[in-house]
Amino acid sequence: MSADLVYLVAGLCLILAVLLPAVLRGAPVTTPMLLIGTGMLIGLTPLPEDLPIGHQDNRALIEHATELTVIVALMGVGLAIDRPLDLRRLSSWRSWSPAWRLLGIAMPLSIASVALLGWTLGAAPAAALLLGAVLAPTDPVLASDVQVGGPTVADDEEDVESETEDDEVRFALTSEAGLNDGLAFPFVYAAILLATEGAVSEWGARWIAWELLGKTAIGIAAGMLVGHLLARVAFRAGNPALRVAERGEPLLAVAALLTAYGVGEVAQGYGFLAVFACAMTFRAAERRHSYHRDMHQVVERLERLLTLFVLLALGIALTRGLLEDLDWRSVVVAVAVVGLIRPAAAWVALAARAPTEGTGTLTRRERFATAFFGVRGVGSLYYLAYAGADVADFRDGWLWSTVGLTIVVSVVVHGATAGPVMSRLECRRQQWASQGAGQGSEEESQAADATAG
């Protein structure tokens, strides 16, 4: 394939990325599915020998490409969430109850279950733990069909809440994806320490104090600081020339995500958490301002471009060696993660101490949908490439084949079912709204359904 033909293929694929989302809306075929399929077809054609697509020889490229894609997606997610998180109000914490339960219960259960399965199938303990860690985070990049849309702008705060916060499934999946990409890091480090330093007794206390608690706190604090400072400049700077929100200059979103990630990493915290915290803090400064929508649109377009590149590369890699170490154990892991482990762990989490009324309440059907749609994707590739840079054993082809297959299974299964399931839930909510008692009828139905669950 000549360089000119590469340009042609890239241009055609970008046209597909622009046109397909609207064309395929509601269809059982999604843009990620078609992009991966297109990449697989490209991989079957003669390609330049120096094209950097081999996962073993190009881990650094894979790491940085997926890293950038994830942080761009996290910025978009943070700007898109309308529900405020006020750390001083207990009611605000409760409204985020689905996110806390998915992070505090479902995520550790998923990691432990996948690690145990991998170890039972013959993987070394450290590799099994890494497998659980890299397959734990849900993906903010590929899960757009089940996440909230762009930020809602209204005349007052009450309108914002009333217009956007009735979809608990989308909120739960979006907030989970925004946080668990960063919270998977401590468990990846645990696998690295297990492989390099041996028994847990040698590093366990240090891991809890620093990798789990210290870096998490630093990342969140760094993101909040950057978001607060940038919001003061954008909305309330003394010099009118610095108030970029009044000019509607949306590129501040890109500057913010890069700055937050850089500050978080330089401060030895988790940059993923810093980006999400920055976006949430910036959004909270002037929640009703239309500037958030402008910023989100820029981030969304950049995310789409990066996702195009990553998915095409993944598709090419699938037919150029990524699956060469695939065996029956890989199939067992992929099917178990998508069809059993994630749904079961999330169901347990959402049913445990679940509120029966108010914001943050999920009906039985909504709990099932939230538990099922744990999309795996770009974040898993990043963590696997990151760990392989530190530990040679983590470059094992079986790990790459297993993670690659799991992503493909997730993209196909979740992509084919997202449209019908979310449409059905939306119809259900509209039926509740049209009943005689209006909102009261919906709350009674939700409470009854939650109790039945």
Side-chain angles (χ1 to χ4, degrees):
M1 181 183 290
S2 66
D4 293 337
L5 190 56
V6 171
Y7 281 115
L8 175 60
V9 172
L12 293 175
C13 291
L14 186 56
I15 292 174
L16 289 177
V18 172
L19 298 178
L20 286 179
V23 174
L24 298 176
R25 185 168 298 164
V29 179
T30 63
T31 302
M33 293 165 63
L34 285 182
L35 288 174
I36 290 177
T38 301
M40 294 177 68
L41 292 176
I42 294 174
L44 295 174
T45 64
L47 296 173
E49 294 183 358
D50 58 347
L51 192 67
I53 58 174
H55 61 281
Q56 294 292 2
D57 299 325
N58 297 283
R59 285 187 305 276
L61 177 60
I62 295 171
E63 178 185 343
H64 294 307
T66 53
E67 177 183 37
L68 180 59
T69 305
V70 171
I71 63 175
V72 170
L74 290 174
M75 188 71 186
V77 165
L79 291 172
I81 294 178
D82 289 324
R83 185 172 301 179
L85 177 57
D86 189 341
L87 303 181
R88 299 164 296 181
R89 294 171 52 199
L90 181 59
S91 60
S92 182
W93 283 89
R94 287 176 176 170
S95 70
W96 279 64
S97 173
W100 308 141
R101 284 180 278 139
L102 288 170
L103 295 170
I105 301 175
M107 188 174 178
L109 279 178
S110 296
I111 294 173
S113 300
V114 175
L116 180 60
L117 177 62
W119 180 65
T120 303
L121 293 175
L129 178 56
L130 178 67
L131 186 64
V134 301
L135 290 177
T138 55
D139 198 79
V141 180
L142 303 182
S144 58
D145 289 335
V146 294
Q147 292 183 353
V148 299
T152 300
V153 178
D155 293 334
D156 57 66
E157 191 70 21
E158 292 181 0
D159 287 342
V160 172
E161 293 182 0
S162 64
E163 290 174 6
T164 62
E165 298 309 319
D166 59 341
D167 197 329
E168 293 293 340
V169 175
R170 292 186 185 276
F171 168 75
L173 292 170
T174 305
S175 56
E176 178 194 19
L179 288 165
N180 69 3
D181 259 301
L183 293 176
F185 249 121
F187 300 97
V188 172
Y189 279 120
I192 294 174
L193 290 171
L194 185 61
T196 56
E197 299 189 18
V200 177
S201 59
E202 299 293 327
W203 50 266
R206 169 164 47 94
W207 175 80
I208 293 174
W210 178 239
E211 308 293 350
L212 182 61
L213 301 178
K215 287 189 172 183
T216 298
I218 292 174
I220 294 174
M224 293 177 65
L225 176 62
V226 172
H228 175 73
L229 293 177
L230 290 179
R232 286 182 62 88
V233 172
F235 296 109
R236 296 183 290 275
N239 186 346
L242 296 178
R243 293 199 290 268
V244 293
E246 296 180 359
R247 304 200 309 269
E249 174 51 71
L251 285 180
L252 182 64
V254 180
L257 71 90
L258 294 175
T259 303
Y261 188 76
V263 171
E265 290 291 316
V266 169
Q268 302 299 305
Y270 294 131
F272 285 176
L273 289 177
V275 173
F276 183 71
C278 172
M280 289 286 295
T281 304
F282 192 95
R283 178 76 196 279
E286 291 286 345
R287 184 167 299 278
R288 297 168 295 188
H289 204 290
S290 61
Y291 184 53
H292 299 299
R293 181 179 295 156
D294 298 333
M295 295 176 68
H296 182 267
Q297 288 175 350
V298 167
V299 172
E300 187 179 37
R301 283 165 173 76
L302 180 57
E303 177 189 342
R304 189 181 303 175
L305 180 61
L306 293 171
T307 303
L308 164 71
F309 169 76
V310 171
L311 292 183
L312 282 176
L314 174 60
I316 294 173
L318 289 172
T319 49
R320 304 287 289 196
L322 182 63
L323 300 180
E324 63 183 4
D325 293 296
L326 196 69
D327 59 17
W328 66 270
R329 299 177 302 160
S330 303
V331 177
V332 170
V333 171
V335 173
V337 169
V338 175
L340 178 61
I341 293 176
R342 156 65 189 199
W347 179 267
V348 170
L350 294 171
R353 300 178 62 85
T356 57
E357 60 181 2
T359 306
T361 302
L362 288 88
T363 68
R364 182 173 55 183
R365 289 181 178 85
E366 289 173 336
R367 287 205 300 271
F368 176 80
T370 304
F372 178 71
F373 288 114
V375 182
R376 267 55 185 170
V378 177
S380 297
L381 294 174
Y382 166 73
Y383 280 119
L384 188 56
Y386 180 90
D390 290 337
V391 182
D393 291 344
F394 291 162
R395 302 167 193 168
D396 178 38
W398 181 79
L399 285 173
W400 281 93
S401 296
T402 302
V403 171
L405 179 64
T406 304
I407 293 172
V408 172
V409 171
S410 177
V411 167
V412 172
V413 172
H414 294 137
T417 56
V421 171
M422 300 306 291
S423 296
R424 187 160 186 172
L425 289 174
E426 180 62 29
C427 289
R428 180 78 172 178
R429 279 190 295 272
Q430 291 176 356
Q431 290 174 1
W432 284 335
S434 64
Q435 290 174 357
Q439 182 66 25
S441 176
E442 178 178 349
E443 290 178 352
E444 290 172 4
S445 299
Q446 286 191 352
D449 209 356
T451 302

